[in-house]
Amino acid sequence: MGEVVVLGGSNGEHLAIELSRLSGFELGEIEIKKFPDDETYIRVLSDVSGKDVVYINSLQRDPNESIIETIYTLDTLSDLGAKRIIAIIPYMSYARQDSRFKPGEAISIQTLGKLFRSVKVDYIITVDMHLHRIQDPSIVFGAKFYNITGVRELAKYVKRNHIINYEKTVVIGPDEEAEQWAKIMANELGGLEYGVLEKKRLTAEEVVIEAKGVNVNERDIIIVDDIISTGGTIIEAVKALRSLGAKDIIVTTVHPLLVGNAYAKLLKLNLKDLAGTNTILSPISKVSITPAILEELVKIL
Ligand code: R5P
């Protein structure tokens, strides 16, 4: 392995610092600021010429701003002679807009892929990306693509911080798509029972959830979902589970977007615990995603 420099964008600096600490790779520096007219200014301060460069940036909080920052930085790294460029995008925005759900809509993730294809990126590592309708992300993004999961790190957290009653506990995904995460969580916690709820989305903020076919009466619940955005899904899931007699509820998520007043709304649910990873920094980012990223990175490097 040659020289490796780790660089963090505005939404990835905390992860770059952790990754450099954990791996011993050099932590590089980028100056990111705004011109007076609000345009983005990027300057790579570290020497990247001939080195493998690991650039980390989540495409949130401000997705559009983060995309511009990421594309400008990746292009600059290539201009400056980086050998291999590994983009770590812990949260890939626009992944849920992966189809034309209504006539005339932009398929935003495809356009984002085109932007990535327009710059030199050798590898992309992302975490629990919403990959429901994209067949081959390596083609869409023009780089070898690795979609790793943060659910194992969430499971380790649950194990470390809670005493689990194996007879009584069931892992729940709040919708069908979350079955994959419920299964991983249940396995990592020693083979717990798992199930999913039925969710219908009414608007971007409203969902209705029914708990059919899962016995939750008098049982403790661990909910796992990839994203908490407005909190609507979790709030409805908790209501449905409690109406059927569920006891203690722990909620976990990989990407705690927590938009608007979602955090306050979730606090009112009186959960046993509410935890997310730090793919996006939030008040519930209690679990580091860095070990999972490093594991994948080491394989690539
Ligand atoms: C949906 O497909 C995702 O897995 C999440 O359930 C969803 O994005 C959560 O959004 P919200 O918190 O706004 O209900």
Side-chain angles (χ1 to χ4, degrees), residues 9-286:
S10 301
N11 297 315
E13 207 183 358
H14 62 293
L15 295 169
I17 294 168
E18 271 186 14
L19 188 66
S20 158
R21 267 199 211 130
L22 267 185
S23 63
F25 298 146
E26 176 194 339
L27 180 64
E29 233 189 301
I30 312 179
E31 185 183 354
I32 307 156
K33 61 182 186 185
K34 284 297 183 90
F35 285 108
D37 59 0
D38 218 30
E39 290 177 354
T40 301
Y41 173 92
I42 307 276
R43 184 177 172 209
V44 176
L45 298 171
S46 308
D47 175 16
V48 295
S49 177
K51 299 179 184 173
D52 285 336
V53 180
V54 178
Y55 171 71
I56 313 182
N57 207 22
S58 267
L59 303 186
Q60 276 285 354
R61 289 286 167 184
D62 181 339
N64 300 337
E65 183 63 40
S66 313
I67 289 167
I68 288 294
E69 184 191 318
T70 299
I71 297 295
Y72 287 0
T73 307
L74 292 171
D75 206 24
T76 307
L77 293 171
S78 145
D79 266 359
L80 295 174
K83 192 167 93 189
R84 286 186 296 179
I85 299 175
I86 299 133
I88 300 180
I89 312 293
Y91 182 77
M92 185 70 80
S93 55
Y94 290 107
R96 288 174 290 174
Q97 189 59 28
D98 58 354
S99 180
R100 184 160 291 135
F101 300 102
K102 290 185 192 149
E105 277 183 355
I107 309 175
S108 310
I109 194 64
Q110 294 287 351
T111 307
L112 183 59
K114 282 185 191 162
L115 286 176
F116 272 87
R117 292 207 301 273
S118 71
V119 295
K120 177 188 176 301
V121 190
D122 298 284
Y123 303 91
I124 296 174
I125 301 177
T126 189
V127 183
D128 291 308
M129 180 179 161
H130 196 86
L131 271 182
H132 298 303
R133 280 161 282 263
I134 292 181
Q135 301 301 330
D136 188 348
S138 296
I139 293 177
V140 174
F141 286 84
K144 284 198 178 137
F145 199 96
Y146 303 85
N147 184 31
I148 64 172
T149 186
V151 175
R152 289 195 181 86
E153 302 308 314
L154 290 173
K156 283 183 211 157
Y157 168 86
V158 172
K159 237 191 250 172
R160 271 199 308 270
N161 291 281
H162 296 280
I163 297 163
I164 298 162
N165 180 331
Y166 284 83
E167 308 280 280
K168 226 182 126 189
T169 307
V170 56
V171 178
I172 294 288
D175 54 30
E176 252 178 53
E177 290 171 348
E179 184 173 3
Q180 53 186 311
W181 300 296
K183 187 176 176 187
I184 298 173
M185 174 72 83
N187 286 342
E188 293 292 311
L189 294 178
L192 292 180
E193 190 185 329
Y194 68 92
V196 293
L197 308 181
E198 281 179 28
K199 173 167 104 177
K200 255 195 224 130
R201 184 163 285 286
L202 306 177
T203 66
E205 305 201 348
E206 271 177 301
V207 294
V208 279
I209 289 195
E210 282 184 89
K212 284 185 192 154
V214 226
N215 175 19
V216 295
N217 189 30
E218 293 293 317
R219 300 186 76 181
D220 293 335
I221 311 288
I222 301 168
I223 296 181
V224 59
D225 203 1
D226 56 342
I227 301 170
I228 300 182
S229 181
T230 64
T233 298
I234 294 300
I235 291 166
E236 290 306 311
V238 167
K239 270 194 215 157
L241 292 165
R242 285 204 174 128
S243 73
L244 293 172
K247 294 301 212 192
D248 289 344
I249 302 183
I250 294 172
V251 170
T252 63
T253 186
V254 178
H255 304 297
L257 291 188
L258 302 186
V259 301
N261 60 347
Y263 180 48
K265 288 193 285 185
L266 292 168
L267 283 182
K268 288 186 193 145
L269 291 177
N270 204 12
L271 300 166
K272 189 170 181 211
D273 197 355
L274 172 60
T277 80
N278 59 356
T279 56
I280 295 159
L281 279 180
S282 79
I284 67 161
S285 295
K286 303 172 184 176

